[in-house]
Amino acid sequence: MSLVSAAFLAFVAAALLLYYVLPKSIRLWVVLAASLAFAGFLGFYTLIFVLVSAVLCYVGGLLAGPSRKTAVRNVFTVITVVINLALLCAVKYYNVIGLASERLNLLFGATDKTNTFFLYAVPVGMSFYVLQTTGYILDCRWEKIAPEKNFFKVLLFSCYFPQLMSGPMNTYSALTEEFEKAKSVKFSLERISDGAVRVAWGFFKKLVIAERAAMPVNMIFADHATFTGWYVPLGVFFFAIQLYSDFSGCMDVVIGVSHMFGIELPENFNCPFFSKTVKEYWRRWHITLGAWLRDYLMYPILKSAPLIKLGDWSKAKLGKKRGKKVPTYVALLILWFAVGYWHGGLWNYVIGSGILHFIYIVLGMIFEPVSKKIRPKIKADKLYFRIFQSLRTFVLMLTGFVFFRSASIRDGVDMYAAIFRKGGAALNWANFTASGMNLANLIVLIVAVLVVLLVDAYKYRPSEDEPARSLIAALRSKGVVLLWAAFMLLLLATLIFGMYGLGYDSGSFIYARI
């Protein structure tokens, strides 16, 4: 079931009706039933893996809890976390397993039947709920929370349906606190309308912008032997539009639906394309993934005995000032490798979403003293310089998007080579119209992107830790009529200009396939 479908809207409407009509004492049971039903609609294997992950989460939390000796707790923590992540790797990265088995079959002349299961048993959203449940087990081991003895509470935490497919990821303490608050939430037209506007905004981004931007992207990335030269940067630019509209639109739908239930989920985006540095960009893009990897991977690595010893050794050899940075660089390398691997398990993801950004961030750290000396001389607070910084960061992100969108690392390298290759198709409008991007579609795309840009400009705050300003709240403060006018405008724009309907297959959200 796609999040941008009439079936999903009908499902949400039915769940909301039961949620507010039935007694408050069984509200969370309604949400749990809806979550399991939604997982079932996504596929049999998705439901099975959700249940398996929840059981591992529940058992792992109990075994890692403070009622046992430290050594025993450590063993149980490692076992349950490894099983949880191994299931993720075995199923999520079936393409890697398939490729390896294919190479072995070519070597030994065998027929490959081993990876058939993996071709069909890829649970939707597994990357998100497995990391979330793994975080719960580690929180129990580190005694941040007490292990939950009620299995159904852990199950609801593991499979809460709005965030099941694409996040945002949450901690057990934060999400269960929202569940507790939801028990006493009263039905409110204000809450429903605010959520509906947010959902409509997500549909607008996905169906009007992302699906339209995908047309030239698919054409150029599928045939960069023909579409060379300026086609390549144009294709990557359109992909940046597609990816941001797709993923942030997905989050708008998820957060808007959850808001209708009185359950607030964390924001996952904070105007990332206005970032002045790559480091800042990653604090504004996919915020909950970055927070998870920081809290459960990078900080524990930095506190580990090998990294502490490395720090002592590097400070003795390189001096205190330089040496103390070495463990940080090592931890960042592991972190960014994990980010890239999480996105797909192939080298094009590891480089495009990981190693490149590690290089950018470390170079920024190394040259920071130089930039501090230069910055006062060029009036860094001026608008033109801030625009330059944002454009520079955006271009650096595009270099990673080349690999992220390519089918393989070789394909990504060939995309770069295609920029300088001669003999390809001439840059003309006829070739773009062949992809479906005619003049009417281009005008719609430009206008829609400008609308998103203006909304992000309104929300933007220079500090990435400062919550973005809510346009919905601002509209409501001017009166409910203005808010509903915005909703109707979004609805009409999506109905008129959205790419959907009979005969059209709207693609699932990109991050739901990660």
Side-chain angles (χ1 to χ4, degrees):
M1 182 190 294
S2 170
L3 293 182
V4 282
S5 65
F8 178 71
L9 294 179
F11 178 85
V12 170
L16 281 170
L17 179 64
L18 293 173
Y19 184 78
Y20 284 111
V21 169
L22 294 176
K24 292 181 180 180
S25 58
I26 63 169
R27 271 188 178 173
L28 294 185
W29 288 103
V30 172
V31 177
L32 178 59
S35 299
L36 292 174
F38 183 71
F41 284 130
L42 292 176
F44 174 74
Y45 288 117
T46 297
L47 177 60
I48 294 300
F49 276 92
V50 163
L51 294 172
V52 169
S53 188
V55 170
L56 283 170
C57 177
Y58 176 71
V59 173
L62 291 176
L63 295 176
S67 60
R68 292 172 176 80
K69 293 181 179 179
T70 300
V72 176
R73 293 168 64 194
N74 289 341
V75 169
F76 282 134
T77 300
V78 170
I79 290 173
T80 50
V81 168
V82 166
I83 293 174
N84 213 19
L85 295 179
L87 282 172
L88 171 64
C89 292
V91 178
K92 173 180 166 62
Y93 306 126
Y94 74 95
N95 50 358
V96 180
I97 296 170
L99 180 62
S101 61
E102 182 183 335
R103 297 288 171 81
L104 289 173
N105 292 335
L106 288 173
L107 182 63
F108 294 106
T111 302
D112 180 22
K113 295 182 180 179
T114 59
N115 67 331
T116 304
F117 170 77
F118 296 104
L119 291 173
Y120 297 99
V122 184
V124 176
M126 192 176 183
S127 298
F128 296 92
Y129 60 76
V130 165
L131 289 190
Q132 188 164 283
T133 55
T134 299
Y136 168 82
I137 297 170
L138 294 174
D139 281 345
C140 290
R141 170 60 190 88
W142 297 334
E143 299 183 27
K144 290 183 177 181
I145 59 172
E148 178 56 63
K149 295 182 180 179
N150 186 330
F151 170 71
F152 294 104
K153 289 185 177 181
V154 176
L155 179 59
L156 179 57
F157 164 74
S158 304
C159 69
Y160 178 50
F161 81 91
Q163 66 173 37
L164 183 64
M165 292 177 67
S166 301
M169 286 181 285
N170 221 327
T171 62
Y172 182 79
S173 56
L175 192 53
T176 51
E177 183 180 345
E178 290 298 322
F179 289 151
E180 289 301 313
K181 289 179 182 177
K183 290 180 180 179
S184 58
V185 167
K186 295 180 180 179
F187 176 80
S188 164
L189 282 176
E190 179 179 326
R191 179 178 298 105
I192 299 299
S193 60
D194 287 356
V197 173
R198 187 77 186 261
V199 171
W201 182 233
F203 270 59
F204 175 82
K205 286 182 178 178
K206 170 64 174 174
L207 296 178
V208 177
I209 301 178
E211 291 296 300
R212 194 167 262 104
M215 294 188 296
V217 172
N218 294 338
M219 179 187 75
I220 293 167
F221 275 84
D223 188 10
H224 42 84
T226 300
F227 300 106
T228 59
W230 280 103
Y231 280 106
V232 175
L234 283 172
V236 180
F237 176 75
F238 277 115
F239 178 65
I241 294 173
Q242 179 198 1
L243 185 62
Y244 177 60
S245 302
D246 184 283
F247 195 17
S248 66
C250 175
M251 290 299 99
D252 289 322
V253 173
V254 166
I255 294 171
V257 166
S258 192
H259 180 77
M260 294 181 191
F261 288 90
I263 299 168
E264 304 303 329
L265 296 177
E267 295 289 343
N268 226 6
F269 289 90
N270 186 5
C271 312
F273 290 141
F274 291 160
S275 302
K276 296 183 288 295
T277 64
V278 173
K279 190 175 182 180
E280 180 185 343
Y281 172 90
W282 281 102
R283 288 198 291 261
R284 293 177 178 272
W285 176 286
H286 212 332
I287 297 169
T288 58
L289 174 64
W292 193 97
L293 291 168
R294 178 196 65 211
D295 295 339
Y296 296 105
L297 182 63
M298 184 174 175
Y299 287 169
I301 288 173
L302 282 172
K303 295 175 183 177
S304 65
L307 266 289
I308 292 173
K309 290 181 180 178
L310 175 63
D312 294 338
W313 177 86
S314 59
K315 281 186 278 189
K317 296 292 183 180
L318 303 174
K320 188 175 181 180
K321 189 174 181 179
R322 291 181 179 178
K324 69 179 182 180
K325 294 181 180 180
V326 173
T328 302
Y329 295 155
V330 173
L332 282 172
L333 178 60
I334 297 170
L335 170 73
W336 285 105
F337 183 89
V339 170
Y341 191 78
W342 178 88
H343 277 88
L346 296 172
W347 277 106
N348 55 306
Y349 293 110
V350 172
I351 291 175
S353 299
I355 301 301
L356 267 178
H357 304 285
F358 162 76
I359 293 171
Y360 295 150
I361 289 171
V362 169
L363 287 176
M365 293 170 67
I366 292 172
F367 290 104
E368 187 175 7
V370 178
S371 65
K372 282 183 177 179
K373 292 179 180 179
I374 297 173
R375 204 171 295 155
K377 300 177 182 179
I378 56 177
K379 298 180 180 179
D381 60 331
K382 294 295 183 181
L383 178 61
Y384 71 84
F385 185 66
R386 282 160 44 198
I387 292 174
F388 162 75
Q389 288 178 304
S390 296
L391 289 175
R392 176 196 60 191
T393 302
F394 181 66
V395 170
L396 290 176
M397 297 312 303
L398 293 182
T399 62
F401 286 159
V402 172
F403 290 104
F404 185 91
R405 179 58 178 78
S406 297
S408 65
I409 188 67
R410 180 181 295 179
D411 199 46
V413 172
D414 192 59
M415 282 290 291
Y416 277 110
I419 298 174
F420 308 100
R421 190 180 298 139
K422 295 181 180 180
L427 184 62
N428 59 54
W429 187 246
N431 287 321
F432 275 100
T433 56
S435 74
M437 185 57 74
N438 55 31
L439 183 59
N441 276 325
L442 182 63
I443 291 172
V444 170
L445 182 63
I446 291 172
V447 172
V449 168
L450 285 175
V451 170
V452 172
L453 187 64
L454 288 172
V455 171
D456 273 9
Y458 175 84
K459 293 163 54 180
Y460 176 69
R461 289 292 177 273
S463 172
E464 61 266 29
D465 298 322
E466 186 178 353
R469 183 189 297 169
S470 171
L471 183 58
I472 293 175
L475 291 172
R476 176 168 289 287
S477 68
K478 302 296 182 182
V480 69
V481 174
L482 189 59
L483 183 68
W484 277 103
F487 172 74
M488 293 305 299
L489 189 61
L490 284 171
L491 181 61
L492 287 172
T494 305
L495 289 174
I496 295 170
F497 301 111
M499 305 189 73
Y500 62 92
L502 295 175
Y504 183 81
D505 181 20
S506 174
S508 62
F509 286 104
I510 293 172
Y511 269 76
R513 304 193 296 267
I514 284 177

